[in-house]
Amino acid sequence: MSLRPSTSATLCNYTSDEPYTKPTSTDDHRSLDNPDEWIAIEPPPVLVGSPGCQEDVVDATGTKEPRNTALHNDTVPPPTFRDSQYGIILRRQRYRPADNSGLKNYTGIPSRFINLSNAFEFAGWGSIRHLKLSASDRQAANEAIERRKRDRVLGQFTAAALAGNAVLGSVFYAFPAVILVAGVFSPICLFVATLILFLWRPIMVELASALPISGAPYTYLLNVSTKGLAVVGSSLLVLDFASTSIVSSATAAEYLAGEVALPFPSWVLAVMVLILFTAVSLFGVRESARIALSVLGLHVLTMTALVLASVVHWARTGNAQLKSNWAQGMTENAGRSISGILKQVYYGVCLGMLGLTGFECTPSYISRIKEGRFPAVFRNLHIPAIIFNTLLMLLVVATIPLDLIRGGANVLSVLGETVAGKWLRIWIVADAFIVLCGGTLTGILSACELLEQLSQHRVLPKIFLNVITKTQAPYVSVFCFVGFCGIVYASASANLGVISQMFSIVWLSVMALFPLSLLLLRFNRGRLRRSSITRLSTILFALLIVSPVILAGNIAINPKTAGYFAIYVLGVLCALIATQNKVSILRYIYWVYDQWHSLRSGGPAEAAVVPHHRAGLGLVKLMTRVKRQLVCICVKGDEINLLFHMILYVQKNEETSHLKIVHFYEEEKGGIPSELESNAKILDEAFPEITIDLLKECSTLIVYMLWPTT
């Protein structure tokens, strides 16, 4: 290793020919005799058996001892040539007042702003504090831990009910689309589509056990990749939840309008449904889950009654209608080859995946689910989806003429009237309206969990964290999300077809984020504890084969879907990028103002003496205030390379000028790492645009309290 002395560092190399002499300072007002101004960075110790210690040291009595032991004796001979390659660096710290005031005067790179000096970029010196928690602090920490545990209020059935209304209610809008494309092959297509979800179940369970944080898969991407990629994922999620609410409410209105004559357009009823369930969501997660469970229970009862009545009717009438529909389907495909029939089935499977929408909502509120219940929640959703989707479609094809099915009528209500009479049709219509309204609630509650995470991570303003005191419902998130749903619905001219086409691509894109997140977790944070391990082949198969194939099929059926998808996603993404990069946008605005102000003042020389207008001063104060938001990182050791990379991550992903390094320690387990304080000072000087504080806390209790909000 070759090191050269410089004006800011002095390197003292030991050799066997010259004794060590302490260098003297050439500084006019400091000397080396003041130890507070210098940091000694020593070479790593040479261990026994290492390449730097291949022979023992013989002392004056002839006794052999290892070199690393001999280093501590007074009779140590001069180091060998191998040892002289290392040295002790005396690194002088820049002068800091005792109160950490003053500026760091660095002039290597001039300011890009004409009317601002480099002092604008300097965030201030950091401080070092030692904190020992009192008994009251420990009690408050215990109370916070218990409060976190009490937030897990959802069991396997209530948690399944929140997403179950969207999952099981999707049959009302998925069936007509699948029948139009797949015809008599629709039962096969839906069965294959539901089986595909077996690939995603172990992936999502492993992710949930490793990172039980609400707002997934945004929070998954945030913890295993960069914040930029996580923001892209959040834009897809926001649009997915909005589409879930809009499609559910609009389909409920269309279903009811197909049975009774409404005195107003169906889109008015859809808006009324959104408003109604906005009010329901303000009751909080616990009460909303109970309402959702009641709705889901009614739907399961209705579908069970429909299946039983259809089976009895099929047994009485025989297979005549099934054979007729099959013959008609084969006649229509008479001119097609085997590849043409397979293509028809392939398109049916692609659209059949829409019958599973709602599964992606479950991880978004995982921190509310009781520990260990998440796998059971997925099972409670998946098994009924397989049974009802496949069996109901088979009963439709076996009971109703194919032309009537394709006629655009409400398929399941027609099935109910055919097998049992008008009373069952009315029951199914009422159930369809109620359960689709429950899907609206699913989208709202899932979006609220996501918006809370985005606000905690400073992508959105803190106002989104405001809640109603009694119910703890995030009313700002609810109102803003429902308002966004109204904007999306209005921008599509209240056209359910446009929203549904966009929804198909968004949902498939969101589902692809789960295997991507798990793959990144395996690569970047593979040592995180988790309850189950998914095969790598399953992850790659879901991410690289199934997701692209299903996505391409939906685009091939209707290429316009890609256009709708791109327009809406780019709109949401641009909005989130703007809120995430507030300081950068303000800097660009100020730079334009600064250049314009300079031109009006006659150039840089004259502009330097012309005072700022109120607008310029306001922009500077706003940038400074926004940047002072605190970011904390917890560290275990004092390795400067790891600390350096942590700070680089914060600098790239967070808009902050104040960073706090927090180290928790126990005195009985070694105390504080020896170089932590010195390295923190070096890093504080290396990043003048960030104030780097060091906080040493003598406790381990806070670590467990911080985990749920990481």
Side-chain angles (χ1 to χ4, degrees), residues 611-641:
H612 270 303
H613 290 289
R614 183 176 299 177
L617 293 175
L619 284 172
V620 172
K621 291 180 180 179
L622 181 59
M623 283 189 286
T624 304
R625 186 176 72 251
V626 173
K627 287 196 303 180
R628 291 306 293 176
Q629 297 181 104
L630 179 63
V631 173
C632 295
I633 57 174
C634 297
V635 300
K636 296 172 62 176
D638 59 356
E639 294 85 355
I640 194 169
N641 61 317

PDB file of all heavy atoms in Angstrom, residues 611-641:
ATOM      1  N   PRO A 611     -29.083  43.263  -4.058  1.00  0.00           N
ATOM      2  CA  PRO A 611     -29.777  42.380  -3.117  1.00  0.00           C
ATOM      3  C   PRO A 611     -30.872  41.593  -3.811  1.00  0.00           C
ATOM      4  O   PRO A 611     -31.426  42.017  -4.810  1.00  0.00           O
ATOM      5  CB  PRO A 611     -30.348  43.358  -2.081  1.00  0.00           C
ATOM      6  CG  PRO A 611     -30.484  44.654  -2.823  1.00  0.00           C
ATOM      7  CD  PRO A 611     -29.353  44.696  -3.794  1.00  0.00           C
ATOM      8  N   HIS A 612     -31.196  40.412  -3.227  1.00  0.00           N
ATOM      9  CA  HIS A 612     -32.259  39.565  -3.749  1.00  0.00           C
ATOM     10  C   HIS A 612     -33.611  40.238  -3.575  1.00  0.00           C
ATOM     11  O   HIS A 612     -33.849  40.967  -2.622  1.00  0.00           O
ATOM     12  CB  HIS A 612     -32.281  38.229  -2.996  1.00  0.00           C
ATOM     13  CG  HIS A 612     -31.413  37.195  -3.636  1.00  0.00           C
ATOM     14  ND1 HIS A 612     -31.557  36.807  -4.929  1.00  0.00           N
ATOM     15  CD2 HIS A 612     -30.391  36.475  -3.118  1.00  0.00           C
ATOM     16  CE1 HIS A 612     -30.668  35.879  -5.202  1.00  0.00           C
ATOM     17  NE2 HIS A 612     -29.942  35.670  -4.115  1.00  0.00           N
ATOM     18  N   HIS A 613     -34.503  39.922  -4.489  1.00  0.00           N
ATOM     19  CA  HIS A 613     -35.894  40.282  -4.284  1.00  0.00           C
ATOM     20  C   HIS A 613     -36.521  39.305  -3.300  1.00  0.00           C
ATOM     21  O   HIS A 613     -35.946  38.274  -2.947  1.00  0.00           O
ATOM     22  CB  HIS A 613     -36.637  40.258  -5.622  1.00  0.00           C
ATOM     23  CG  HIS A 613     -36.218  41.373  -6.540  1.00  0.00           C
ATOM     24  ND1 HIS A 613     -36.560  42.678  -6.305  1.00  0.00           N
ATOM     25  CD2 HIS A 613     -35.472  41.358  -7.671  1.00  0.00           C
ATOM     26  CE1 HIS A 613     -36.069  43.435  -7.280  1.00  0.00           C
ATOM     27  NE2 HIS A 613     -35.394  42.658  -8.115  1.00  0.00           N
ATOM     28  N   ARG A 614     -37.727  39.591  -2.874  1.00  0.00           N
ATOM     29  CA  ARG A 614     -38.402  38.756  -1.886  1.00  0.00           C
ATOM     30  C   ARG A 614     -38.620  37.341  -2.408  1.00  0.00           C
ATOM     31  O   ARG A 614     -38.553  36.373  -1.652  1.00  0.00           O
ATOM     32  CB  ARG A 614     -39.731  39.402  -1.527  1.00  0.00           C
ATOM     33  CG  ARG A 614     -40.501  38.659  -0.453  1.00  0.00           C
ATOM     34  CD  ARG A 614     -41.770  39.401  -0.078  1.00  0.00           C
ATOM     35  NE  ARG A 614     -41.463  40.716   0.453  1.00  0.00           N
ATOM     36  CZ  ARG A 614     -42.408  41.599   0.814  1.00  0.00           C
ATOM     37  NH1 ARG A 614     -43.698  41.287   0.658  1.00  0.00           N
ATOM     38  NH2 ARG A 614     -42.065  42.778   1.296  1.00  0.00           N
ATOM     39  N   ALA A 615     -38.880  37.190  -3.711  1.00  0.00           N
ATOM     40  CA  ALA A 615     -39.105  35.859  -4.276  1.00  0.00           C
ATOM     41  C   ALA A 615     -37.857  34.993  -4.151  1.00  0.00           C
ATOM     42  O   ALA A 615     -37.935  33.813  -3.790  1.00  0.00           O
ATOM     43  CB  ALA A 615     -39.535  35.970  -5.733  1.00  0.00           C
ATOM     44  N   GLY A 616     -36.687  35.566  -4.445  1.00  0.00           N
ATOM     45  CA  GLY A 616     -35.449  34.808  -4.338  1.00  0.00           C
ATOM     46  C   GLY A 616     -35.151  34.389  -2.916  1.00  0.00           C
ATOM     47  O   GLY A 616     -34.768  33.240  -2.649  1.00  0.00           O
ATOM     48  N   LEU A 617     -35.326  35.294  -1.968  1.00  0.00           N
ATOM     49  CA  LEU A 617     -35.100  34.957  -0.567  1.00  0.00           C
ATOM     50  C   LEU A 617     -36.082  33.882  -0.101  1.00  0.00           C
ATOM     51  O   LEU A 617     -35.723  32.993   0.672  1.00  0.00           O
ATOM     52  CB  LEU A 617     -35.242  36.216   0.297  1.00  0.00           C
ATOM     53  CG  LEU A 617     -34.169  37.298   0.084  1.00  0.00           C
ATOM     54  CD1 LEU A 617     -34.506  38.535   0.899  1.00  0.00           C
ATOM     55  CD2 LEU A 617     -32.795  36.758   0.461  1.00  0.00           C
ATOM     56  N   GLY A 618     -37.314  33.973  -0.585  1.00  0.00           N
ATOM     57  CA  GLY A 618     -38.301  32.962  -0.212  1.00  0.00           C
ATOM     58  C   GLY A 618     -37.934  31.586  -0.721  1.00  0.00           C
ATOM     59  O   GLY A 618     -38.092  30.585  -0.008  1.00  0.00           O
ATOM     60  N   LEU A 619     -37.421  31.500  -1.959  1.00  0.00           N
ATOM     61  CA  LEU A 619     -37.001  30.210  -2.501  1.00  0.00           C
ATOM     62  C   LEU A 619     -35.840  29.625  -1.714  1.00  0.00           C
ATOM     63  O   LEU A 619     -35.802  28.421  -1.435  1.00  0.00           O
ATOM     64  CB  LEU A 619     -36.614  30.368  -3.974  1.00  0.00           C
ATOM     65  CG  LEU A 619     -37.758  30.498  -4.980  1.00  0.00           C
ATOM     66  CD1 LEU A 619     -37.217  30.840  -6.360  1.00  0.00           C
ATOM     67  CD2 LEU A 619     -38.561  29.207  -5.042  1.00  0.00           C
ATOM     68  N   VAL A 620     -34.886  30.477  -1.329  1.00  0.00           N
ATOM     69  CA  VAL A 620     -33.733  30.003  -0.560  1.00  0.00           C
ATOM     70  C   VAL A 620     -34.184  29.463   0.794  1.00  0.00           C
ATOM     71  O   VAL A 620     -33.753  28.391   1.233  1.00  0.00           O
ATOM     72  CB  VAL A 620     -32.705  31.133  -0.388  1.00  0.00           C
ATOM     73  CG1 VAL A 620     -31.601  30.712   0.577  1.00  0.00           C
ATOM     74  CG2 VAL A 620     -32.101  31.510  -1.729  1.00  0.00           C
ATOM     75  N   LYS A 621     -35.051  30.213   1.477  1.00  0.00           N
ATOM     76  CA  LYS A 621     -35.545  29.757   2.777  1.00  0.00           C
ATOM     77  C   LYS A 621     -36.348  28.469   2.643  1.00  0.00           C
ATOM     78  O   LYS A 621     -36.248  27.568   3.491  1.00  0.00           O
ATOM     79  CB  LYS A 621     -36.403  30.847   3.412  1.00  0.00           C
ATOM     80  CG  LYS A 621     -35.617  32.076   3.852  1.00  0.00           C
ATOM     81  CD  LYS A 621     -36.541  33.115   4.478  1.00  0.00           C
ATOM     82  CE  LYS A 621     -35.755  34.351   4.917  1.00  0.00           C
ATOM     83  NZ  LYS A 621     -36.646  35.387   5.499  1.00  0.00           N
ATOM     84  N   LEU A 622     -37.152  28.347   1.585  1.00  0.00           N
ATOM     85  CA  LEU A 622     -37.944  27.147   1.383  1.00  0.00           C
ATOM     86  C   LEU A 622     -37.057  25.938   1.131  1.00  0.00           C
ATOM     87  O   LEU A 622     -37.281  24.858   1.695  1.00  0.00           O
ATOM     88  CB  LEU A 622     -38.908  27.350   0.211  1.00  0.00           C
ATOM     89  CG  LEU A 622     -39.845  26.178  -0.115  1.00  0.00           C
ATOM     90  CD1 LEU A 622     -40.720  25.847   1.090  1.00  0.00           C
ATOM     91  CD2 LEU A 622     -40.708  26.500  -1.337  1.00  0.00           C
ATOM     92  N   MET A 623     -36.030  26.087   0.292  1.00  0.00           N
ATOM     93  CA  MET A 623     -35.106  24.980   0.040  1.00  0.00           C
ATOM     94  C   MET A 623     -34.408  24.553   1.324  1.00  0.00           C
ATOM     95  O   MET A 623     -34.263  23.363   1.614  1.00  0.00           O
ATOM     96  CB  MET A 623     -34.078  25.388  -1.018  1.00  0.00           C
ATOM     97  CG  MET A 623     -34.591  25.374  -2.441  1.00  0.00           C
ATOM     98  SD  MET A 623     -33.275  25.619  -3.653  1.00  0.00           S
ATOM     99  CE  MET A 623     -32.952  27.372  -3.449  1.00  0.00           C
ATOM    100  N   THR A 624     -33.963  25.530   2.100  1.00  0.00           N
ATOM    101  CA  THR A 624     -33.257  25.216   3.348  1.00  0.00           C
ATOM    102  C   THR A 624     -34.166  24.488   4.325  1.00  0.00           C
ATOM    103  O   THR A 624     -33.760  23.513   4.966  1.00  0.00           O
ATOM    104  CB  THR A 624     -32.729  26.507   3.985  1.00  0.00           C
ATOM    105  OG1 THR A 624     -31.895  27.202   3.046  1.00  0.00           O
ATOM    106  CG2 THR A 624     -31.920  26.196   5.231  1.00  0.00           C
ATOM    107  N   ARG A 625     -35.425  24.939   4.437  1.00  0.00           N
ATOM    108  CA  ARG A 625     -36.352  24.312   5.380  1.00  0.00           C
ATOM    109  C   ARG A 625     -36.705  22.885   4.960  1.00  0.00           C
ATOM    110  O   ARG A 625     -36.744  21.972   5.794  1.00  0.00           O
ATOM    111  CB  ARG A 625     -37.618  25.152   5.489  1.00  0.00           C
ATOM    112  CG  ARG A 625     -38.579  24.633   6.560  1.00  0.00           C
ATOM    113  CD  ARG A 625     -39.784  25.509   6.752  1.00  0.00           C
ATOM    114  NE  ARG A 625     -40.722  25.421   5.638  1.00  0.00           N
ATOM    115  CZ  ARG A 625     -40.929  26.374   4.757  1.00  0.00           C
ATOM    116  NH1 ARG A 625     -40.259  27.516   4.843  1.00  0.00           N
ATOM    117  NH2 ARG A 625     -41.798  26.223   3.770  1.00  0.00           N
ATOM    118  N   VAL A 626     -36.944  22.675   3.673  1.00  0.00           N
ATOM    119  CA  VAL A 626     -37.311  21.333   3.199  1.00  0.00           C
ATOM    120  C   VAL A 626     -36.148  20.357   3.381  1.00  0.00           C
ATOM    121  O   VAL A 626     -36.337  19.193   3.744  1.00  0.00           O
ATOM    122  CB  VAL A 626     -37.755  21.391   1.727  1.00  0.00           C
ATOM    123  CG1 VAL A 626     -37.975  19.983   1.174  1.00  0.00           C
ATOM    124  CG2 VAL A 626     -39.028  22.204   1.585  1.00  0.00           C
ATOM    125  N   LYS A 627     -34.921  20.826   3.170  1.00  0.00           N
ATOM    126  CA  LYS A 627     -33.758  19.951   3.282  1.00  0.00           C
ATOM    127  C   LYS A 627     -33.434  19.560   4.714  1.00  0.00           C
ATOM    128  O   LYS A 627     -32.711  18.584   4.935  1.00  0.00           O
ATOM    129  CB  LYS A 627     -32.526  20.624   2.667  1.00  0.00           C
ATOM    130  CG  LYS A 627     -32.523  20.684   1.159  1.00  0.00           C
ATOM    131  CD  LYS A 627     -31.136  20.981   0.622  1.00  0.00           C
ATOM    132  CE  LYS A 627     -30.558  22.275   1.166  1.00  0.00           C
ATOM    133  NZ  LYS A 627     -29.222  22.545   0.626  1.00  0.00           N
ATOM    134  N   ARG A 628     -33.911  20.301   5.699  1.00  0.00           N
ATOM    135  CA  ARG A 628     -33.546  20.028   7.086  1.00  0.00           C
ATOM    136  C   ARG A 628     -34.343  18.882   7.703  1.00  0.00           C
ATOM    137  O   ARG A 628     -34.245  18.634   8.903  1.00  0.00           O
ATOM    138  CB  ARG A 628     -33.739  21.288   7.942  1.00  0.00           C
ATOM    139  CG  ARG A 628     -32.764  22.394   7.634  1.00  0.00           C
ATOM    140  CD  ARG A 628     -31.328  21.948   7.702  1.00  0.00           C
ATOM    141  NE  ARG A 628     -30.902  21.589   9.053  1.00  0.00           N
ATOM    142  CZ  ARG A 628     -29.707  21.106   9.348  1.00  0.00           C
ATOM    143  NH1 ARG A 628     -28.825  20.879   8.376  1.00  0.00           N
ATOM    144  NH2 ARG A 628     -29.389  20.817  10.590  1.00  0.00           N
ATOM    145  N   GLN A 629     -35.124  18.179   6.920  1.00  0.00           N
ATOM    146  CA  GLN A 629     -35.840  17.017   7.457  1.00  0.00           C
ATOM    147  C   GLN A 629     -34.839  15.932   7.842  1.00  0.00           C
ATOM    148  O   GLN A 629     -33.963  15.571   7.064  1.00  0.00           O
ATOM    149  CB  GLN A 629     -36.830  16.479   6.428  1.00  0.00           C
ATOM    150  CG  GLN A 629     -37.916  17.472   6.063  1.00  0.00           C
ATOM    151  CD  GLN A 629     -38.888  16.878   5.064  1.00  0.00           C
ATOM    152  OE1 GLN A 629     -39.992  16.502   5.401  1.00  0.00           O
ATOM    153  NE2 GLN A 629     -38.477  16.784   3.819  1.00  0.00           N
ATOM    154  N   LEU A 630     -34.984  15.430   9.051  1.00  0.00           N
ATOM    155  CA  LEU A 630     -34.013  14.512   9.613  1.00  0.00           C
ATOM    156  C   LEU A 630     -34.178  13.101   9.054  1.00  0.00           C
ATOM    157  O   LEU A 630     -35.289  12.617   8.884  1.00  0.00           O
ATOM    158  CB  LEU A 630     -34.159  14.486  11.137  1.00  0.00           C
ATOM    159  CG  LEU A 630     -33.227  13.548  11.912  1.00  0.00           C
ATOM    160  CD1 LEU A 630     -31.781  13.969  11.728  1.00  0.00           C
ATOM    161  CD2 LEU A 630     -33.604  13.539  13.384  1.00  0.00           C
ATOM    162  N   VAL A 631     -33.038  12.458   8.778  1.00  0.00           N
ATOM    163  CA  VAL A 631     -33.000  11.049   8.386  1.00  0.00           C
ATOM    164  C   VAL A 631     -32.071  10.328   9.354  1.00  0.00           C
ATOM    165  O   VAL A 631     -30.967  10.811   9.636  1.00  0.00           O
ATOM    166  CB  VAL A 631     -32.498  10.875   6.939  1.00  0.00           C
ATOM    167  CG1 VAL A 631     -32.294   9.398   6.612  1.00  0.00           C
ATOM    168  CG2 VAL A 631     -33.472  11.496   5.958  1.00  0.00           C
ATOM    169  N   CYS A 632     -32.515   9.199   9.878  1.00  0.00           N
ATOM    170  CA  CYS A 632     -31.716   8.419  10.825  1.00  0.00           C
ATOM    171  C   CYS A 632     -31.289   7.103  10.189  1.00  0.00           C
ATOM    172  O   CYS A 632     -32.059   6.481   9.465  1.00  0.00           O
ATOM    173  CB  CYS A 632     -32.512   8.128  12.100  1.00  0.00           C
ATOM    174  SG  CYS A 632     -32.924   9.573  13.078  1.00  0.00           S
ATOM    175  N   ILE A 633     -30.052   6.701  10.483  1.00  0.00           N
ATOM    176  CA  ILE A 633     -29.579   5.380  10.086  1.00  0.00           C
ATOM    177  C   ILE A 633     -28.997   4.704  11.323  1.00  0.00           C
ATOM    178  O   ILE A 633     -28.313   5.338  12.124  1.00  0.00           O
ATOM    179  CB  ILE A 633     -28.528   5.436   8.955  1.00  0.00           C
ATOM    180  CG1 ILE A 633     -27.328   6.292   9.349  1.00  0.00           C
ATOM    181  CG2 ILE A 633     -29.127   5.935   7.673  1.00  0.00           C
ATOM    182  CD1 ILE A 633     -26.201   6.267   8.340  1.00  0.00           C
ATOM    183  N   CYS A 634     -29.308   3.447  11.499  1.00  0.00           N
ATOM    184  CA  CYS A 634     -28.793   2.670  12.624  1.00  0.00           C
ATOM    185  C   CYS A 634     -27.576   1.876  12.161  1.00  0.00           C
ATOM    186  O   CYS A 634     -27.626   1.224  11.109  1.00  0.00           O
ATOM    187  CB  CYS A 634     -29.861   1.737  13.170  1.00  0.00           C
ATOM    188  SG  CYS A 634     -31.300   2.588  13.846  1.00  0.00           S
ATOM    189  N   VAL A 635     -26.501   1.940  12.918  1.00  0.00           N
ATOM    190  CA  VAL A 635     -25.258   1.264  12.552  1.00  0.00           C
ATOM    191  C   VAL A 635     -24.858   0.314  13.668  1.00  0.00           C
ATOM    192  O   VAL A 635     -25.152   0.541  14.844  1.00  0.00           O
ATOM    193  CB  VAL A 635     -24.124   2.271  12.265  1.00  0.00           C
ATOM    194  CG1 VAL A 635     -24.504   3.181  11.117  1.00  0.00           C
ATOM    195  CG2 VAL A 635     -23.790   3.091  13.499  1.00  0.00           C
ATOM    196  N   LYS A 636     -24.178  -0.762  13.292  1.00  0.00           N
ATOM    197  CA  LYS A 636     -23.737  -1.758  14.265  1.00  0.00           C
ATOM    198  C   LYS A 636     -22.257  -1.607  14.600  1.00  0.00           C
ATOM    199  O   LYS A 636     -21.844  -1.908  15.716  1.00  0.00           O
ATOM    200  CB  LYS A 636     -23.993  -3.162  13.715  1.00  0.00           C
ATOM    201  CG  LYS A 636     -25.451  -3.486  13.496  1.00  0.00           C
ATOM    202  CD  LYS A 636     -25.636  -4.814  12.780  1.00  0.00           C
ATOM    203  CE  LYS A 636     -25.094  -5.972  13.579  1.00  0.00           C
ATOM    204  NZ  LYS A 636     -25.367  -7.267  12.897  1.00  0.00           N
ATOM    205  N   GLY A 637     -21.448  -1.177  13.614  1.00  0.00           N
ATOM    206  CA  GLY A 637     -20.009  -1.090  13.824  1.00  0.00           C
ATOM    207  C   GLY A 637     -19.455   0.257  13.417  1.00  0.00           C
ATOM    208  O   GLY A 637     -20.192   1.220  13.176  1.00  0.00           O
ATOM    209  N   ASP A 638     -18.127   0.331  13.323  1.00  0.00           N
ATOM    210  CA  ASP A 638     -17.463   1.595  12.996  1.00  0.00           C
ATOM    211  C   ASP A 638     -16.694   1.528  11.682  1.00  0.00           C
ATOM    212  O   ASP A 638     -15.857   2.393  11.410  1.00  0.00           O
ATOM    213  CB  ASP A 638     -16.511   1.985  14.124  1.00  0.00           C
ATOM    214  CG  ASP A 638     -15.435   0.924  14.382  1.00  0.00           C
ATOM    215  OD1 ASP A 638     -15.484  -0.142  13.731  1.00  0.00           O
ATOM    216  OD2 ASP A 638     -14.558   1.160  15.234  1.00  0.00           O
ATOM    217  N   GLU A 639     -16.954   0.515  10.850  1.00  0.00           N
ATOM    218  CA  GLU A 639     -16.231   0.409   9.583  1.00  0.00           C
ATOM    219  C   GLU A 639     -16.576   1.599   8.697  1.00  0.00           C
ATOM    220  O   GLU A 639     -17.737   1.794   8.318  1.00  0.00           O
ATOM    221  CB  GLU A 639     -16.589  -0.890   8.863  1.00  0.00           C
ATOM    222  CG  GLU A 639     -16.129  -2.152   9.568  1.00  0.00           C
ATOM    223  CD  GLU A 639     -17.122  -2.607  10.630  1.00  0.00           C
ATOM    224  OE1 GLU A 639     -18.109  -1.866  10.859  1.00  0.00           O
ATOM    225  OE2 GLU A 639     -16.914  -3.675  11.221  1.00  0.00           O
ATOM    226  N   ILE A 640     -15.580   2.374   8.332  1.00  0.00           N
ATOM    227  CA  ILE A 640     -15.838   3.623   7.625  1.00  0.00           C
ATOM    228  C   ILE A 640     -16.348   3.378   6.212  1.00  0.00           C
ATOM    229  O   ILE A 640     -17.116   4.185   5.667  1.00  0.00           O
ATOM    230  CB  ILE A 640     -14.562   4.503   7.597  1.00  0.00           C
ATOM    231  CG1 ILE A 640     -14.931   5.935   7.177  1.00  0.00           C
ATOM    232  CG2 ILE A 640     -13.499   3.913   6.694  1.00  0.00           C
ATOM    233  CD1 ILE A 640     -13.823   6.928   7.367  1.00  0.00           C
ATOM    234  N   ASN A 641     -15.974   2.256   5.599  1.00  0.00           N
ATOM    235  CA  ASN A 641     -16.471   1.988   4.249  1.00  0.00           C
ATOM    236  C   ASN A 641     -17.972   1.737   4.260  1.00  0.00           C
ATOM    237  O   ASN A 641     -18.708   2.191   3.372  1.00  0.00           O
ATOM    238  CB  ASN A 641     -15.723   0.802   3.639  1.00  0.00           C
ATOM    239  CG  ASN A 641     -15.909  -0.470   4.439  1.00  0.00           C
ATOM    240  OD1 ASN A 641     -15.846  -0.444   5.661  1.00  0.00           O
ATOM    241  ND2 ASN A 641     -16.127  -1.580   3.768  1.00  0.00           N
TER     242      ASN A 641
END
